[in-house]
């Protein structure tokens, strides 16, 4: 039985939260108020709390009765930590990550929306560089979940002049973390987009392998990111002996990551049709040995008409 908890707060707080801007340039005005919403845990479901994180940014803390934990920043709706019951964190945040409400958080699971990679707007779009809000929290057999929302504002419209709603549900279980992303066109005209979850996993790169991609069409951005080489993956296991930046079109719904640290993680999805593997090698000499990106993506441009929605799910599970 799921126990849902609406965020009904005292009026002085709820008004401030509902009118706070999404845009990073005005973020500091709402930062303190959102953090105050965590006072009185009764407004959230069991296992869900909000506190002040790095740089004073509001952070959601999920804790399962099984001992697993997760942290999510409202800025960018970025999941920055996923700890299994042993206490081991299976996600990675880069040492150069900045928590200032201005620059996207480098690491964890950032959003790429409404653009993946470079293009007509900032790299990977604006969703990772805006403030999301909490719309719901719940507990299902003790396992906590929270739903975040992003809507258009003047900041997003300066780059992409459309009205939209993004809902992002994050659910924590004993040995897994699942997400559901729903994009809805709330405009009166169609729009197009693509998207990805730019997931960073803790790793020892020399021992990393990814299984499940054999037979996929590849777009290899090495050596020229602007002119990717088309090919076909022939390997049963993809390894990372050097720089890797490759898109896999028509990827399967399940991949297996060996992180080189003694952990195997199954990365499954529904409606994320593609995958991306990335490790910067010597371009990030300080940390490239400590992480690998295995990303679920929708590379082909999607079009939504007014009131239409697109939903994609991801589950990462320690096996």
């Amino acid at each position: 039985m799921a126990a849902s908890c609406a965020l009904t707060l005292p009026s002085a707080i709820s008004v401030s939260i509902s009118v706070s801007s999404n845009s990073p340039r005005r973020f500091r005005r709402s930062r303190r108020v959102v953090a105050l919403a965590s006072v009185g845990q009764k407004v959230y479901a069991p296992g869900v709390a909000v506190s002040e994180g790095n740089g004073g940014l509001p952070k959601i803390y999920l804790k399962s009765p099984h001992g697993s934990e997760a942290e999510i920043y409202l800025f960018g709706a970025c999941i920055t930590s996923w700890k299994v019951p042993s206490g081991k964190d299976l996600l990675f945040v880069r040492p150069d990550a900045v928590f200032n409400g201005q620059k996207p958080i480098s690491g964890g699971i950032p959003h790429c929306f409404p653009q993946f990679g470079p293009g007509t707007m900032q790299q990977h779009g604006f969703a990772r560089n805006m403030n999301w809000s909490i719309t719901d929290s719940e507990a299902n057999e003790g396992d906590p979940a929270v739903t975040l929302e992003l809507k258009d504002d003047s900041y997003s419209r300066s780059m992409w002049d459309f009205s939209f709603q993004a809902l992002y549900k994050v659910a924590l279980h004993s040995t897994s973390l699942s997400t559901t992303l729903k994009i809805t066109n709330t405009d009166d005209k169609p729009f197009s987009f693509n998207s990805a979850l730019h997931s960073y996993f803790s790793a020892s790169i020399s021992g990393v392998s990814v299984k499940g991609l054999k037979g996929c069409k590849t777009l290899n951005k090495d050596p020229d990111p602007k002119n990717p080489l088309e090919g076909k993956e022939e390997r049963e296991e993809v390894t990372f002996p050097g720089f890797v930046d490759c898109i896999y079109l028509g990827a399967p719904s399940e991949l297996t990551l060996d992180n080189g640290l003694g952990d195997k993680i199954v990365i499954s999805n529904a409606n994320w049709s593609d995958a991306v593997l990335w490790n910067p090698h010597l371009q990030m000499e300080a940390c490239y040995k400590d992480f690998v990106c295995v990303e679920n993506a929708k590379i082909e441009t999607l079009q939504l008409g007014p009131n239409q929605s697109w939903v994609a799910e991801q589950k990462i599970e320690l096996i």
Side-chain angles (χ1 to χ4, degrees), residues 24 36 69 97 106 110 141 161 203 207 215 255 287-288 295:
L36 286 173
E69 303 174 13
S106 299
E141 297 182 353
D161 193 17
L255 303 176
C287 64
Y288 80 90
E295 311 168 33

Side-chain angles (χ1 to χ4, degrees), residues 21-41:
S21 168
N22 290 327
S23 66
R25 75 191 87 176
R26 288 172 283 178
F27 180 71
R28 291 189 177 90
R29 273 194 280 170
S30 62
R31 177 189 302 166
R32 190 177 183 86
V33 175
V34 177
L36 286 173
S38 65
V39 177
Q41 286 293 315

Side-chain angles (χ1 to χ4, degrees), residues 21-129:
S21 168
N22 290 327
S23 66
R25 75 191 87 176
R26 288 172 283 178
F27 180 71
R28 291 189 177 90
R29 273 194 280 170
S30 62
R31 177 189 302 166
R32 190 177 183 86
V33 175
V34 177
L36 286 173
S38 65
V39 177
Q41 286 293 315
K42 61 184 180 181
V43 299
Y44 298 112
V48 180
V50 178
S51 62
E52 189 174 279
N54 292 335
L57 300 180
K59 178 181 69 176
I60 303 166
Y61 176 68
L62 304 181
K63 185 172 178 61
S64 164
H66 307 289
S68 54
E69 303 174 13
E71 296 180 357
I72 313 157
Y73 278 79
L74 291 182
F75 183 71
C78 185
I79 303 170
T80 54
S81 177
W82 168 44
K83 293 180 180 178
V84 290
S86 67
K88 191 173 190 178
D89 200 332
L90 298 179
L91 298 182
F92 180 81
V93 175
R94 283 166 28 191
D96 62 342
V98 177
F99 293 81
N100 62 2
Q102 302 291 326
K103 182 180 178 182
I105 297 169
S106 299
I109 307 181
H111 287 271
C112 303
F113 174 83
Q115 173 184 289
F116 174 76
T120 58
M121 64 188 80
Q122 64 191 41
Q123 175 85 356
H124 292 320
F126 49 70
R128 64 183 188 150
N129 203 36

